[in-house]
Amino acid sequence: DETQWPDVGALSAADDLAISGAIAPVIVVIPDVKRSGDAQAVDYFVENDLLPWVDTTYRSLPDAAHRGIGGISRGGGAALRIAANRPDLFSVVGGHSPAIGSTPPDLVERLDAYDGAIWLDVGQDDSLAGSTRQLAEDLDKRGTKATLHVNPGEHDRPYWRSQVRDYLTFYAARWR
């Protein structure tokens, strides 16, 4: 939900990184999407509700080259699906301990057409480590470059908190 990213320190890390000049200033949007079980509803929400709201509310750069999407656990799976379904909307996607189940062939096929940067990471003791590794392997077999990071940790906020600065640096590196 919308509390997870602030709880792992994403907002303070974004401020610190931007102030230090390590990343360009970013707009971080953290919606609480209750419809996450319905992939079409999430896609609709992002494309037709969230992105137009962000672009009219903030001084954003409203194009794929300046937009990324990422999520943790179920949100990581949703971010990967959304980027796969709408590759024209995002230049970078991150799946952090992504809950994708066994690697869905349609997700691999659709991400194969995505030409943006893909970051996958998971804690080595996370129950999702196998499916995350398998997704990276399946993408690699198709020639799709996805950077996989397997780090010490589990499926919990301490793990994501230890990685959040790397996540933000990955996303913002594309927007310099």
Side-chain angles (χ1 to χ4, degrees), residues 126-150:
D126 189 325
S127 64
L128 300 178
S131 61
T132 304
R133 284 184 173 118
Q134 187 64 54
L135 175 59
E137 184 179 309
D138 291 347
L139 289 169
D140 187 57
K141 285 178 187 174
R142 293 184 68 98
T144 302
K145 176 72 172 129
T147 305
L148 173 64
H149 302 267
V150 179

mmCIF file of all heavy atoms in Angstrom, residues 126-150:
data_model
loop_
_atom_site.group_PDB
_atom_site.id
_atom_site.type_symbol
_atom_site.label_atom_id
_atom_site.label_comp_id
_atom_site.label_asym_id
_atom_site.label_seq_id
_atom_site.Cartn_x
_atom_site.Cartn_y
_atom_site.Cartn_z
ATOM 1 N N ASP A 126 14.464 -14.797 0.296
ATOM 2 C CA ASP A 126 13.079 -14.460 -0.033
ATOM 3 C C ASP A 126 12.440 -15.667 -0.725
ATOM 4 O O ASP A 126 13.061 -16.292 -1.589
ATOM 5 C CB ASP A 126 13.085 -13.238 -0.966
ATOM 6 C CG ASP A 126 11.719 -12.657 -1.222
ATOM 7 O OD1 ASP A 126 10.724 -13.412 -1.289
ATOM 8 O OD2 ASP A 126 11.643 -11.423 -1.394
ATOM 9 N N SER A 127 11.211 -15.958 -0.393
ATOM 10 C CA SER A 127 10.510 -17.063 -1.055
ATOM 11 C C SER A 127 10.301 -16.785 -2.544
ATOM 12 O O SER A 127 10.024 -17.708 -3.313
ATOM 13 C CB SER A 127 9.160 -17.323 -0.372
ATOM 14 O OG SER A 127 8.313 -16.192 -0.519
ATOM 15 N N LEU A 128 10.437 -15.531 -2.963
ATOM 16 C CA LEU A 128 10.269 -15.181 -4.376
ATOM 17 C C LEU A 128 11.589 -15.179 -5.151
ATOM 18 O O LEU A 128 11.614 -14.814 -6.321
ATOM 19 C CB LEU A 128 9.605 -13.807 -4.492
ATOM 20 C CG LEU A 128 8.222 -13.697 -3.840
ATOM 21 C CD1 LEU A 128 7.677 -12.284 -3.971
ATOM 22 C CD2 LEU A 128 7.258 -14.702 -4.433
ATOM 23 N N ALA A 129 12.673 -15.586 -4.512
ATOM 24 C CA ALA A 129 13.980 -15.577 -5.184
ATOM 25 C C ALA A 129 13.974 -16.461 -6.428
ATOM 26 O O ALA A 129 14.497 -16.083 -7.474
ATOM 27 C CB ALA A 129 15.083 -16.006 -4.218
ATOM 28 N N GLY A 130 13.377 -17.638 -6.334
ATOM 29 C CA GLY A 130 13.364 -18.552 -7.479
ATOM 30 C C GLY A 130 12.624 -17.995 -8.671
ATOM 31 O O GLY A 130 13.130 -18.041 -9.807
ATOM 32 N N SER A 131 11.437 -17.438 -8.450
ATOM 33 C CA SER A 131 10.662 -16.909 -9.576
ATOM 34 C C SER A 131 11.311 -15.655 -10.152
ATOM 35 O O SER A 131 11.248 -15.423 -11.365
ATOM 36 C CB SER A 131 9.210 -16.630 -9.159
ATOM 37 O OG SER A 131 9.150 -15.676 -8.119
ATOM 38 N N THR A 132 11.965 -14.863 -9.308
ATOM 39 C CA THR A 132 12.643 -13.663 -9.804
ATOM 40 C C THR A 132 13.851 -14.053 -10.655
ATOM 41 O O THR A 132 14.064 -13.499 -11.744
ATOM 42 C CB THR A 132 13.069 -12.753 -8.631
ATOM 43 O OG1 THR A 132 11.916 -12.448 -7.846
ATOM 44 C CG2 THR A 132 13.716 -11.477 -9.130
ATOM 45 N N ARG A 133 14.626 -15.016 -10.174
ATOM 46 C CA ARG A 133 15.760 -15.514 -10.973
ATOM 47 C C ARG A 133 15.279 -16.107 -12.293
ATOM 48 O O ARG A 133 15.897 -15.911 -13.333
ATOM 49 C CB ARG A 133 16.537 -16.564 -10.182
ATOM 50 C CG ARG A 133 17.424 -16.014 -9.109
ATOM 51 C CD ARG A 133 18.217 -17.157 -8.472
ATOM 52 N NE ARG A 133 19.201 -16.684 -7.552
ATOM 53 C CZ ARG A 133 19.213 -16.975 -6.259
ATOM 54 N NH1 ARG A 133 18.286 -17.759 -5.732
ATOM 55 N NH2 ARG A 133 20.154 -16.501 -5.482
ATOM 56 N N GLN A 134 14.181 -16.864 -12.232
ATOM 57 C CA GLN A 134 13.653 -17.495 -13.445
ATOM 58 C C GLN A 134 13.205 -16.443 -14.456
ATOM 59 O O GLN A 134 13.452 -16.588 -15.660
ATOM 60 C CB GLN A 134 12.492 -18.431 -13.112
ATOM 61 C CG GLN A 134 12.008 -19.252 -14.290
ATOM 62 C CD GLN A 134 13.075 -20.205 -14.795
ATOM 63 O OE1 GLN A 134 13.617 -20.990 -14.037
ATOM 64 N NE2 GLN A 134 13.392 -20.136 -16.083
ATOM 65 N N LEU A 135 12.568 -15.390 -13.992
ATOM 66 C CA LEU A 135 12.162 -14.324 -14.899
ATOM 67 C C LEU A 135 13.380 -13.710 -15.577
ATOM 68 O O LEU A 135 13.396 -13.515 -16.797
ATOM 69 C CB LEU A 135 11.376 -13.241 -14.154
ATOM 70 C CG LEU A 135 10.995 -12.004 -14.970
ATOM 71 C CD1 LEU A 135 10.146 -12.372 -16.178
ATOM 72 C CD2 LEU A 135 10.284 -10.988 -14.085
ATOM 73 N N ALA A 136 14.417 -13.415 -14.803
ATOM 74 C CA ALA A 136 15.637 -12.837 -15.381
ATOM 75 C C ALA A 136 16.246 -13.790 -16.402
ATOM 76 O O ALA A 136 16.672 -13.363 -17.494
ATOM 77 C CB ALA A 136 16.639 -12.517 -14.282
ATOM 78 N N GLU A 137 16.270 -15.078 -16.085
ATOM 79 C CA GLU A 137 16.830 -16.082 -17.006
ATOM 80 C C GLU A 137 15.997 -16.174 -18.286
ATOM 81 O O GLU A 137 16.544 -16.224 -19.393
ATOM 82 C CB GLU A 137 16.877 -17.440 -16.304
ATOM 83 C CG GLU A 137 17.521 -18.535 -17.115
ATOM 84 C CD GLU A 137 17.560 -19.844 -16.346
ATOM 85 O OE1 GLU A 137 18.025 -19.842 -15.187
ATOM 86 O OE2 GLU A 137 17.114 -20.867 -16.915
ATOM 87 N N ASP A 138 14.678 -16.196 -18.139
ATOM 88 C CA ASP A 138 13.800 -16.284 -19.310
ATOM 89 C C ASP A 138 13.939 -15.052 -20.201
ATOM 90 O O ASP A 138 13.933 -15.167 -21.427
ATOM 91 C CB ASP A 138 12.343 -16.468 -18.882
ATOM 92 C CG ASP A 138 12.080 -17.829 -18.257
ATOM 93 O OD1 ASP A 138 12.942 -18.738 -18.363
ATOM 94 O OD2 ASP A 138 11.003 -17.983 -17.635
ATOM 95 N N LEU A 139 14.053 -13.886 -19.593
ATOM 96 C CA LEU A 139 14.256 -12.668 -20.382
ATOM 97 C C LEU A 139 15.606 -12.716 -21.098
ATOM 98 O O LEU A 139 15.698 -12.370 -22.283
ATOM 99 C CB LEU A 139 14.159 -11.432 -19.492
ATOM 100 C CG LEU A 139 12.759 -11.090 -18.984
ATOM 101 C CD1 LEU A 139 12.825 -10.015 -17.908
ATOM 102 C CD2 LEU A 139 11.858 -10.657 -20.128
ATOM 103 N N ASP A 140 16.626 -13.171 -20.396
ATOM 104 C CA ASP A 140 17.962 -13.272 -20.989
ATOM 105 C C ASP A 140 17.964 -14.213 -22.190
ATOM 106 O O ASP A 140 18.588 -13.931 -23.215
ATOM 107 C CB ASP A 140 18.964 -13.731 -19.932
ATOM 108 C CG ASP A 140 20.387 -13.695 -20.450
ATOM 109 O OD1 ASP A 140 20.836 -12.608 -20.881
ATOM 110 O OD2 ASP A 140 21.046 -14.751 -20.436
ATOM 111 N N LYS A 141 17.259 -15.323 -22.089
ATOM 112 C CA LYS A 141 17.168 -16.290 -23.200
ATOM 113 C C LYS A 141 16.562 -15.648 -24.439
ATOM 114 O O LYS A 141 16.876 -16.032 -25.556
ATOM 115 C CB LYS A 141 16.336 -17.503 -22.795
ATOM 116 C CG LYS A 141 17.048 -18.450 -21.872
ATOM 117 C CD LYS A 141 16.131 -19.599 -21.496
ATOM 118 C CE LYS A 141 16.752 -20.485 -20.436
ATOM 119 N NZ LYS A 141 15.813 -21.519 -19.970
ATOM 120 N N ARG A 142 15.683 -14.689 -24.237
ATOM 121 C CA ARG A 142 15.039 -14.000 -25.368
ATOM 122 C C ARG A 142 15.856 -12.800 -25.842
ATOM 123 O O ARG A 142 15.463 -12.098 -26.761
ATOM 124 C CB ARG A 142 13.643 -13.542 -24.969
ATOM 125 C CG ARG A 142 12.694 -14.700 -24.714
ATOM 126 C CD ARG A 142 11.315 -14.185 -24.426
ATOM 127 N NE ARG A 142 10.709 -13.581 -25.585
ATOM 128 C CZ ARG A 142 9.841 -14.179 -26.403
ATOM 129 N NH1 ARG A 142 9.485 -15.407 -26.168
ATOM 130 N NH2 ARG A 142 9.326 -13.535 -27.428
ATOM 131 N N GLY A 143 16.958 -12.523 -25.157
ATOM 132 C CA GLY A 143 17.796 -11.393 -25.547
ATOM 133 C C GLY A 143 17.390 -10.077 -24.917
ATOM 134 O O GLY A 143 17.867 -9.024 -25.310
ATOM 135 N N THR A 144 16.504 -10.137 -23.927
ATOM 136 C CA THR A 144 16.056 -8.934 -23.234
ATOM 137 C C THR A 144 16.943 -8.723 -22.020
ATOM 138 O O THR A 144 17.075 -9.605 -21.184
ATOM 139 C CB THR A 144 14.587 -9.076 -22.795
ATOM 140 O OG1 THR A 144 13.789 -9.329 -23.954
ATOM 141 C CG2 THR A 144 14.096 -7.821 -22.102
ATOM 142 N N LYS A 145 17.531 -7.552 -21.921
ATOM 143 C CA LYS A 145 18.450 -7.250 -20.827
ATOM 144 C C LYS A 145 17.675 -6.813 -19.593
ATOM 145 O O LYS A 145 16.998 -5.789 -19.590
ATOM 146 C CB LYS A 145 19.421 -6.141 -21.267
ATOM 147 C CG LYS A 145 20.367 -5.680 -20.186
ATOM 148 C CD LYS A 145 21.425 -6.715 -19.888
ATOM 149 C CE LYS A 145 22.451 -6.126 -18.946
ATOM 150 N NZ LYS A 145 22.708 -6.955 -17.813
ATOM 151 N N ALA A 146 17.756 -7.638 -18.566
ATOM 152 C CA ALA A 146 17.211 -7.286 -17.259
ATOM 153 C C ALA A 146 18.340 -7.461 -16.259
ATOM 154 O O ALA A 146 18.971 -8.516 -16.220
ATOM 155 C CB ALA A 146 16.035 -8.176 -16.899
ATOM 156 N N THR A 147 18.613 -6.444 -15.486
ATOM 157 C CA THR A 147 19.659 -6.520 -14.482
ATOM 158 C C THR A 147 19.084 -7.177 -13.234
ATOM 159 O O THR A 147 18.100 -6.689 -12.676
ATOM 160 C CB THR A 147 20.183 -5.114 -14.143
ATOM 161 O OG1 THR A 147 20.608 -4.483 -15.349
ATOM 162 C CG2 THR A 147 21.333 -5.186 -13.170
ATOM 163 N N LEU A 148 19.681 -8.291 -12.817
ATOM 164 C CA LEU A 148 19.222 -9.015 -11.639
ATOM 165 C C LEU A 148 20.201 -8.801 -10.493
ATOM 166 O O LEU A 148 21.412 -8.958 -10.663
ATOM 167 C CB LEU A 148 19.123 -10.515 -11.939
ATOM 168 C CG LEU A 148 18.818 -11.415 -10.735
ATOM 169 C CD1 LEU A 148 17.439 -11.117 -10.148
ATOM 170 C CD2 LEU A 148 18.939 -12.883 -11.137
ATOM 171 N N HIS A 149 19.655 -8.452 -9.333
ATOM 172 C CA HIS A 149 20.447 -8.291 -8.112
ATOM 173 C C HIS A 149 19.867 -9.226 -7.057
ATOM 174 O O HIS A 149 18.685 -9.119 -6.722
ATOM 175 C CB HIS A 149 20.372 -6.846 -7.592
ATOM 176 C CG HIS A 149 20.827 -5.838 -8.587
ATOM 177 N ND1 HIS A 149 22.116 -5.395 -8.633
ATOM 178 C CD2 HIS A 149 20.157 -5.203 -9.581
ATOM 179 C CE1 HIS A 149 22.235 -4.514 -9.612
ATOM 180 N NE2 HIS A 149 21.058 -4.382 -10.203
ATOM 181 N N VAL A 150 20.686 -10.147 -6.571
ATOM 182 C CA VAL A 150 20.290 -11.010 -5.463
ATOM 183 C C VAL A 150 21.190 -10.626 -4.293
ATOM 184 O O VAL A 150 22.418 -10.716 -4.391
ATOM 185 C CB VAL A 150 20.437 -12.502 -5.816
ATOM 186 C CG1 VAL A 150 20.036 -13.364 -4.630
ATOM 187 C CG2 VAL A 150 19.593 -12.846 -7.050
#
